[in-house]
Amino acid sequence: MKRGILKIQEDNTAVLYYGGKRLKFNPVATKIMTSILEKTCICKDKYINLNEISSELRIPTQYVLEFVQELIQKGILSGELKHHFLIVFDEISKKIKVAREGSLLYVEWLITSLCQCRCIYCRHEKYKLGANLELSTKEALNVIKQMADMGVVYVTLSGGEPLIRKDIFKIINELYQHDIEIRLDTNGLLLDKKTITQLARFRDLLTLSISLDSSIPEINETIRVCSPGSTQKIMKSIGEAKATDIIVNISTILTKKNANIINITELYNFLSKNSVDTWTISFVRPFGRAREIWSEIGVLPTDTPEVSLNIIKLMKESTRPTIQFLLNSKELATFLRLNHSRLLSSPTDISSLKICEHCTKGAFLHITPWGDVLPCLNLPENMVRVGNLRISSLRELWERSKSENLIHNKKIVDLLEDCKSCRYLNVCRGGCRAQALQFNGSLTKCDPITRNKLEFLFTHVKNVPLKK
């Protein structure tokens, strides 16, 4: 089932994110949409009287009818119009959730610190303190209830390896019962037939995201530091998961060890043959273990432009899997859609942009295995930690995370030094401050990774004359 969010802004306009689309609604359309969602929650016979909506909102009936017809044509509403009645074919109130500006919508939850692998780029190495410190089943279920009460719509369960937790299906089921969409990040080693069958019960709200850096065992097992034969086991599990109609995403991290055309082509052919839904490819980032051995594994787009260009070619041609190549703070797909010269020349107002707004969109939190709450996993914890769920409620911590005293809420223009004269500022909008801190020892300096990616985009993907 496609899921969506109707995010209502302070000026009573709204943005609907649904099925990969982004639709803007004016205040009148926003009123109609929220009224339909409210009525589908309470209307048992699924007949919505549009005359009633027109009368309650004091909006002409014809406007309401035309708006509803457009939603049906776009596939957002599943139903049909008969006279002045909307006959709803499914539970749209479960498909689309309403969220006000400033709401917590997304949570990444490191549900355990335990893992069978020791990936060379693991950013969660610092969280390996032992299962005895992790949130208990009772505590985890209580956190989910708090998420539901706050209107959270999407939770990523990661780790560590989430499937190691003995209560993982209780946790998934609780999220499912509250209509919260779930992404389960897994290394795939525990995906036997029994586990896949259990996961398939939740497939209308579940995406299974499996890490696979190569279909060539020698490469994958060197990167992920797991037992011999594990790559073949993971690849077999991917096929078995797709056979149950679970949505499967494959996550690939590019390092010096696998960033070559042969590896990318072999992996693409395997994923295409098994009808994998999406393939997310990103470059290794300088956090966790990767920072310690960056000279051995770090790779950037300008180091191997032929690899990135090959991925872009596949991205344009592939029908399945859909490829997401996370090349900069705006996904590559956005770059390819836009007029490239205007990207550089059009002024961008970043006066109100906060440091972590690229990633968080003002609606995101991370939870560690033992209940610490952080707006960012890559900045030092002493800069961004807002508290612990064993001491404070999720709502309290969410409100605390908005404090202007925390570094992630600082205005980025107050921190930038090197960036003010940079030709890419309109596009990167300050990049990632955590990367700037890692490489240059300061939040105010240049983020060299984002700059490198943009140099690749403008040099190799689209040759655009840059202003001196």
Side-chain angles (χ1 to χ4, degrees), residues 32 50 53-54 59-69:
I32 299 171
L50 299 181
I53 291 178
S54 172
I59 297 170
T61 301
Q62 189 59 34
Y63 186 99
V64 176
L65 289 169
E66 289 173 359
F67 177 71
V68 170
Q69 186 63 54

Side-chain angles (χ1 to χ4, degrees), residues 79-195:
E80 67 174 318
L81 284 173
K82 283 197 174 180
H83 303 295
H84 289 174
F85 283 88
L86 167 65
I87 305 171
V88 182
F89 293 158
D90 57 16
E91 296 180 86
I92 186 173
S93 59
K94 287 191 175 184
K95 288 166 56 178
I96 298 174
K97 293 194 176 184
V98 178
R100 293 277 170 185
E101 184 76 15
S103 300
L104 175 61
L105 302 178
Y106 313 102
V107 172
E108 181 183 6
W109 192 352
L110 281 60
I111 199 74
T112 182
S113 59
L114 301 180
C115 188
Q116 319 96 308
C117 300
R118 285 187 58 81
C119 300
I120 58 176
Y121 48 67
C122 181
R123 67 172 176 165
H124 301 323
E125 173 70 9
K126 60 185 176 181
Y127 297 120
K128 295 186 181 299
L129 296 184
N132 60 317
L133 297 175
E134 295 173 1
L135 295 177
S136 67
T137 302
K138 183 178 179 181
E139 288 171 324
L141 297 183
N142 178 260
V143 170
I144 294 169
K145 184 179 183 304
Q146 293 181 62
M147 290 180 189
D149 290 343
M150 292 178 66
V152 170
V153 298
Y154 195 99
V155 172
T156 297
L157 298 176
S158 63
E161 170 50 49
L163 291 173
I164 284 180
R165 276 194 70 133
K166 294 180 180 179
D167 59 356
I168 188 62
F169 286 104
K170 287 184 179 179
I171 290 168
I172 292 173
N173 183 65
E174 189 71 13
L175 289 165
Y176 185 83
Q177 294 302 320
H178 286 289
D179 296 315
I180 297 174
E181 195 166 355
I182 309 148
R183 191 182 89 176
L184 181 68
D185 288 354
T186 175
N187 58 36
L189 293 177
L190 296 177
L191 286 176
D192 55 25
K193 284 189 175 180
K194 180 181 177 182
T195 301

Side-chain angles (χ1 to χ4, degrees), residues 267-278:
L267 186 49
Y268 171 75
N269 290 337
F270 165 73
L271 300 181
S272 180
K273 180 181 177 181
N274 283 274
S275 299
V276 165
D277 298 280
T278 57

Side-chain angles (χ1 to χ4, degrees), residues 388-405:
N388 188 279
L389 288 164
R390 286 178 167 137
I391 300 170
S392 306
S393 70
L394 184 61
R395 190 178 298 277
E396 289 171 334
L397 296 176
W398 172 240
E399 292 304 319
R400 199 180 299 168
S401 76
K402 300 176 187 179
S403 168
E404 293 182 0
N405 294 325

